[in-house]
Amino acid sequence: MIVGSSAAPMSPQDRALHHVAQKLEASFLAEMLKSAGLGKTSEHFGGGAGEDQFSSFLVEEQAMYMVKAGGIGLSESLFHALKEKQNDQ
């Protein structure tokens, strides 16, 4: 869900804030996916440090796709909370 899609277009500052909130949600989801075992290297391929590194990139990218598809709503909550705090200042 894109914030502001039915309302007026977001300002550049709001877009930047929303992007940061999405990145934070993606980081959270990536850690959850790693904890669930996604991205663990298989013993069937050579393994090694390179495979471990690239599998973490894959998990992070998958998490960002999840966020862009709606995620778990964390980025929207963060965005609104940060925007409210910003407006109070």
Side-chain angles (χ1 to χ4, degrees):
M1 182 171 130
I2 298 174
V3 173
S5 60
S6 62
M10 290 194 322
S11 70
Q13 188 176 15
D14 284 352
R15 276 196 302 274
L17 188 62
H18 190 255
H19 180 69
V20 168
Q22 285 183 320
K23 285 175 58 175
L24 184 58
E25 181 177 358
S27 294
F28 174 77
L29 287 174
E31 289 303 314
M32 294 297 102
L33 291 172
K34 288 175 193 173
S35 293
L38 188 68
K40 284 188 180 178
T41 54
S42 171
E43 296 171 6
H44 302 292
F45 298 106
E51 189 173 343
D52 288 337
Q53 183 63 43
F54 285 108
S55 68
S56 71
F57 290 148
L58 179 61
V59 170
E60 290 169 11
E61 204 55 34
Q62 288 168 328
M64 184 52 89
Y65 276 108
M66 290 171 68
V67 170
K68 299 236 181 206
I72 59 174
L74 182 61
S75 64
E76 298 302 317
S77 295
L78 286 170
F79 172 76
H80 291 297
L82 291 171
K83 180 127 176 80
E84 193 173 297
K85 181 155 180 87
Q86 184 181 44
N87 289 339
D88 289 343
Q89 294 177 354

